């Protein structure tokens, strides 16, 4: 039997931080695989290393040892330029706070990353309009981030994260800043998009109700990922 395609694979990852004489081992020989089309929720307490894991997985940080495979390609020995290329075209990021450009409209915020990737404004804006429409934001295209609600800002951030059609989405507490019903809506839109596009999604969240809707849930224990099982 053919195994499903591994979009993201973390193999024996170690990552420590140093401050003075102290060494903090955050990730210790961590393994994790996310297949194409799979939605994995990462649930762990604050300080457990979720953001560190996502930064390493997204090639924003290099591990001290171990390797990250993106679509089967080992990234450890790649130069920064190649890693940036993979990140820009293959990986979409969503953060707890939207990180949208304040001076630009919703449409422009989704168009700009595509233009950085070589698309004309016309084509980028067309795709931005389509994505924002899908996220039910057709009435908000010209609004700047400050003129949007928290849930709307996160939906723009979702549209931006998938603008360049990545294979992988890494989301760091994407609904952490939203009220429960808005969280639910934003999470539903994110998961629906990821599933329909066959994207591998790794979503750090504190929200157990949302995590239940993932295909699989993992947690971090002593710097390693282990399967998470709900108590009830
Ligand atoms: P989480 O996202 O699960 O809350 P983080 O990955 O942000 O956890 O942090 C894991 C641990 O590593 C925390 O104890 C944090 O204080 C520490 N840490 C994170 N980033 C740094 C850094 N740049 N320098 C030193 N320590 C850090
Ligand atoms: Mg964090």
């Amino acid at each position: 039997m053919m195994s499903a395609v591994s979009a993201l694979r973390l193999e024996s990852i170690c990552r420590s931080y140093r401050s003075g004489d102290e060494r903090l081992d955050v990730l210790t020989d961590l393994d994790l695989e996310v297949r194409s089309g799979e939605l994995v929720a990462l649930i762990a307490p604050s300080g457990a290393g979720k953001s560190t894991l996502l930064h390493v997985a997204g090639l924003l940080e290099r591990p001290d040892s171990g390797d990250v495979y993106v679509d089967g390609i080992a990234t450890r020995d790649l130069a920064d330029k190649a890693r940036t290329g993979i990140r820009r075209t293959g990986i979409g990021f969503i953060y707890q706070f939207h990180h949208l450009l304040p001076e630009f409209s919703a449409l422009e915020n989704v168009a700009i990353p595509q233009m950085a990737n070589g698309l004309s404004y016309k084509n980028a804006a067309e795709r931005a309009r389509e994505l924002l429409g899908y996220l039910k934001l057709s009435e908000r295209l010209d609004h700047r981030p400050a003129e949007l609600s928290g849930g709307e800002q996160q939906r723009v951030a979702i549209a931006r994260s998938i603008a360049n059609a990545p294979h992988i989405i890494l989301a760091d507490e994407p609904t952490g800043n939203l009220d429960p019903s808005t969280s639910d809506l934003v999470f539903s839109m994110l998961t629906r998009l990821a599933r329909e596009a066959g994207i591998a999604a790794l979503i750090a969240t504190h929200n157990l109700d949302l995590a239940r809707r993932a295909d699989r849930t993992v947690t971090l224990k002593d710097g390693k990922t282990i399967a998470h099982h709900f108590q009830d």
Side-chain angles (χ1 to χ4, degrees):
M1 200 177 86
M2 292 267 291
S3 61
V5 183
S6 165
L8 176 67
R9 189 152 61 85
L10 279 69
E11 200 177 88
S12 308
I13 297 293
C14 293
R15 181 76 173 107
S16 306
Y17 294 114
R18 264 164 219 87
S19 56
D21 294 341
E22 301 285 309
R23 198 183 81 184
L24 180 66
D25 298 318
V26 179
L27 306 177
T28 58
D29 204 23
L30 173 143
D31 295 309
L32 177 65
E33 184 177 15
V34 187
R35 292 182 214 96
S36 295
E38 189 183 31
L39 214 107
V40 178
L42 173 63
I43 304 186
S46 193
K50 300 181 298 299
S51 296
T52 303
L53 190 165
L54 292 171
H55 291 158
V56 168
L59 312 184
L60 292 164
E61 273 183 42
R62 285 179 187 268
D64 303 323
S65 60
D67 207 345
V68 178
Y69 294 80
V70 177
D71 294 324
I73 296 168
T75 60
R76 179 173 54 197
D77 297 329
L78 296 178
D80 287 344
K81 198 175 165 196
R83 288 165 60 90
T84 301
I86 291 175
R87 191 166 62 234
R88 200 165 57 202
T89 57
I91 305 176
F93 293 89
I94 305 166
Y95 302 93
Q96 180 174 356
F97 301 100
H98 55 78
H99 290 280
L100 297 171
L101 300 168
E103 299 304 313
F104 293 93
S105 68
L107 183 89
E108 288 163 342
N109 266 282
V110 181
I112 287 167
Q114 302 175 66
M115 292 160 71
N117 230 6
L119 251 68
S120 67
Y121 176 76
K122 187 170 171 288
N123 289 340
E126 191 173 288
R127 177 165 166 80
R129 214 171 273 119
E130 192 180 313
L131 286 171
L132 289 165
Y134 193 87
L135 289 157
K136 307 261 183 286
L137 288 168
S138 294
E139 310 293 307
R140 298 286 184 276
L141 300 181
D142 298 328
H143 289 229
R144 290 183 185 185
E147 299 160 348
L148 296 168
S149 72
E152 289 167 347
Q153 289 167 348
Q154 281 306 66
R155 278 144 64 197
V156 177
I158 290 170
R160 177 189 54 183
S161 78
I162 60 162
N164 287 332
H167 303 297
I168 299 166
I169 284 183
L170 301 173
D172 198 350
E173 304 190 35
T175 65
N177 200 27
L178 306 174
D179 63 70
S181 70
T182 307
S183 292
D184 202 282
L185 175 74
V186 168
F187 192 85
S188 295
M189 287 182 164
L190 171 57
T191 52
R192 188 160 54 101
L193 260 176
R195 289 207 159 104
E196 285 178 8
I199 293 172
L202 179 58
I203 306 175
T205 178
H206 276 124
N207 189 323
L208 295 177
D209 290 331
L210 299 182
R212 279 171 204 281
R213 284 149 52 179
D215 298 317
R216 188 154 63 86
T217 306
V218 296
T219 189
L220 281 168
K221 185 147 176 52
D222 303 328
K224 295 175 173 50
T225 37
I226 56 170
H228 174 272
H229 301 285
F230 290 101
Q231 293 306 307
D232 53 275

